Amino acid sequence: MTFRIVSGTASPELAGATAAALGTGLAACRVERFPDGELRPGVGHLRGADVYVVQSTGPPVNENIMELLLLLDACRRAGAGRVTVVVPYFGYARQDRRGAAGEAVGARVVADTLMAAGAQRLVVVDPHTAALESMCAMPVEMVSAVPTLADALAPSVAEGTVVVAPDLGAVKLAEHYASLLRCPVAVVRKTRVSGARVHAEELIGGVEGRSAIVIDDMVSTGGTIEAAVRVLLAHGAEPGMVVAATHGLLVGGHTPLSGLPLRRLLTTDTVEPAPAPPLPVQVRSVAPLLADTIGRLHRNEPLDDLRIRT
């Protein structure tokens, strides 16, 4: 069975780089847009192929998800032998449980819909919750960009540097970074006030007089990072902190990041670059990671060393 890479319009550069790393090109694909906003994707000959559809579901999240669903259906109707959906950034992953009665579980709805559209397997990079796998009836491969980002951080890590989790949900992630960088871990406890506002309350761990690397799976509005940095400064951490996150959504004008004593933001290309915030941004590509993952899946090889740590 031959393999083919199909790219949606949300991730053309990443899909192209992934295909190039695999020594192939992208399969023929077009997405027509009608004046009223309707999408009509179409694909070329895929009959019997092992197909990997690459499409991130970052902003605009709903439009990119709808395009992905139609692409999956097009691949299925084109006779693909097997369809794997590669979603570097999985939108709605934060909605993994109900916060109150009457709310939807968005992550489950999206996962079920992807499967209904024709996906037989899902690949995601550093999803917001490891519980995503338990929500899906289809197999889920959760791979991590942490080693890629840690490799970029390593040359600038000084003695005494602390890896900081900006909330309790990022502790496992911080421990993964810390094990690779050989650094201790500190944790900020936060309370989310709204989708954009966060209140940080206390710090667990010593940071006084030390450099800090604040990590998270994503930077969306920057509110969580802002709250964590202010707590670190209040506890005597050195200015010039580094922020590392797999998904650099950077929505909302980056206002919370303005004025913070940050040295740089390190992220990946799981979503298309947003306008740069008021600090240096370094982007590492996950194309080698995705190419390795796709190659192993196609050859039915294990992914144990690529998976996230849970």
Side-chain angles (χ1 to χ4, degrees), residues 84-231:
T84 298
V85 58
V86 181
V87 186
Y89 169 71
F90 190 96
Y92 285 93
R94 285 173 287 187
Q95 296 186 32
D96 61 329
R97 61 177 64 88
R98 292 187 303 160
E103 291 185 351
V105 181
R108 175 62 184 268
V109 172
V110 173
D112 286 350
T113 309
L114 290 173
M115 186 172 177
Q120 295 165 276
R121 180 171 51 193
L122 170 65
V123 175
V124 293
V125 180
D126 290 327
H128 187 70
T129 175
L132 181 64
E133 182 173 18
S134 66
M135 298 178 187
C136 297
M138 61 182 162
V140 180
E141 307 294 350
M142 299 184 295
V143 298
S144 182
V146 170
T148 299
L149 294 175
D151 182 64
L153 289 167
S156 60
V157 173
E159 184 176 353
T161 297
V162 180
V163 173
V164 179
D167 55 34
L168 296 177
V171 171
K172 288 287 186 183
L173 188 63
E175 290 174 345
H176 191 182
Y177 276 96
S179 68
L180 295 172
L181 297 172
R182 296 181 173 84
C183 295
V185 173
V187 182
V188 175
R189 189 168 72 87
K190 77 171 186 184
T191 300
R192 181 164 290 281
V193 179
S194 68
R197 293 180 55 232
V198 171
H199 175 61
E201 298 169 332
E202 60 182 83
L203 176 71
I204 303 169
V207 298
E208 185 173 0
R210 293 184 172 189
S211 299
I213 300 172
V214 184
I215 62 86
D216 211 342
D217 63 300
M218 72 174 76
V219 177
S220 182
T221 64
T224 295
I225 299 301
E226 177 197 26
V229 167
R230 297 200 185 284
V231 168

Side-chain angles (χ1 to χ4, degrees), residues 196 220-223 226 230 250-260 276-279:
S220 182
T221 64
E226 177 197 26
R230 297 200 185 284
L250 302 176
V251 298
H254 330 299
T255 301
L257 299 179
S258 301
L260 293 180
L279 74 157

